[in-house]
Amino acid sequence: MVDEKIEEAKAALRIKAHAARAALPQADRADAAHAVTQHFFEHIPLVASDIVAAYWRIRDELDCQPILVRLMDSNQTVVLPVVIGAEEPLDLRVWEQGASLYEAGFGTLAPAELAPRAEPDIVLMPLLGFDKQGTRLGYGGGYYDRTLARMSKKPKLIGLAFAAQELDAIPREAHDVPLDAIVTEDGVRHFGPSA
């Protein structure tokens, strides 16, 4: 059941978060992506067997391509999401070394339809905003919510964002799974019982 008051509050926060992200100077974006990459590899534990779900940046999202390149160069298994329908979970396709990427809607790129699928151990999540409790404000389509609900295991959820995307508080509904950590150009913040 949808709580209309919460949805209205989230819609207002999305407008605010979009504006904050769009206002960031272009010159600072590459530096931020570089810093986020450094913080990610220094502070997020990875083992060789981990499958990492990443994303291909759209619009003015933080560019995680430097993380993707480094994961691929180290032979880490990487999956990229594909939207296959408005009410469907994301299709997580393995990006194999040397395989081409194709237009996958919304300005993203992804492996071909025949690529293998895999369930990730770590999910790098794009977002519009986050708060100090680890609540993630997405775009409102529910794709990650549906995808996480169908997984047989709970992966570590790592948000990637600019520090300017932090909001005071985001209402959290039952289906909103909190982040385990957020990585910004300012560093890494862990959430939850082990934080």
Side-chain angles (χ1 to χ4, degrees):
M1 181 165 194
V2 175
D3 184 321
E4 292 299 324
K5 285 188 190 265
I6 289 179
E7 288 306 311
E8 286 175 21
K10 284 184 176 181
L13 288 171
R14 284 186 183 99
I15 292 168
K16 180 179 177 180
H18 256 302
R21 192 172 71 188
L24 292 168
Q26 199 61 40
D28 295 346
R29 293 174 181 274
D31 290 341
H34 176 74
V36 165
T37 301
Q38 292 303 113
H39 295 313
F40 175 78
F41 285 103
E42 287 173 13
H43 302 288
I44 303 296
L46 283 173
V47 295
S49 61
D50 282 340
I51 297 169
V52 181
Y55 62 91
W56 201 263
R57 176 184 63 90
I58 59 172
R59 296 185 293 269
D60 55 2
E61 288 176 342
L62 182 109
D63 188 1
C64 77
Q65 197 168 350
I67 294 174
L68 279 169
V69 168
R70 196 156 154 191
L71 289 170
M72 294 295 286
D73 287 350
S74 64
N75 294 315
Q76 197 85 38
T77 301
V78 172
V79 296
L80 292 174
V82 179
V83 174
I84 54 174
E87 296 300 318
E88 297 295 319
L90 296 166
D91 189 23
L92 299 173
R93 299 177 186 172
V94 176
W95 184 16
E96 296 174 306
Q97 197 68 263
S100 296
L101 295 177
Y102 300 91
E103 290 278 330
F106 299 98
T108 65
L109 296 176
E113 195 173 332
L114 296 177
R117 274 52 172 186
E119 218 174 79
D121 301 290
I122 296 172
V123 179
L124 304 182
M125 302 182 84
L127 50 84
L128 277 171
F130 65 94
D131 67 16
K132 62 182 178 232
Q133 280 79 40
T135 306
R136 171 188 174 267
L137 181 68
Y139 295 95
Y143 293 106
Y144 280 96
D145 295 330
R146 285 189 295 279
T147 304
L148 295 170
R150 294 216 181 150
M151 287 186 182
S152 63
K153 60 186 175 188
K154 189 214 178 280
K156 285 183 188 162
L157 305 180
I158 313 295
L160 301 180
F162 298 103
Q165 292 176 255
E166 184 168 3
L167 298 164
D168 291 333
I170 301 168
R172 189 185 294 174
E173 296 175 90
H175 65 267
D176 292 324
V177 181
L179 297 168
D180 293 297
I182 185 79
V183 186
T184 72
E185 69 273 25
D186 292 343
V188 178
R189 203 174 331 163
H190 295 272
F191 305 106
S194 60

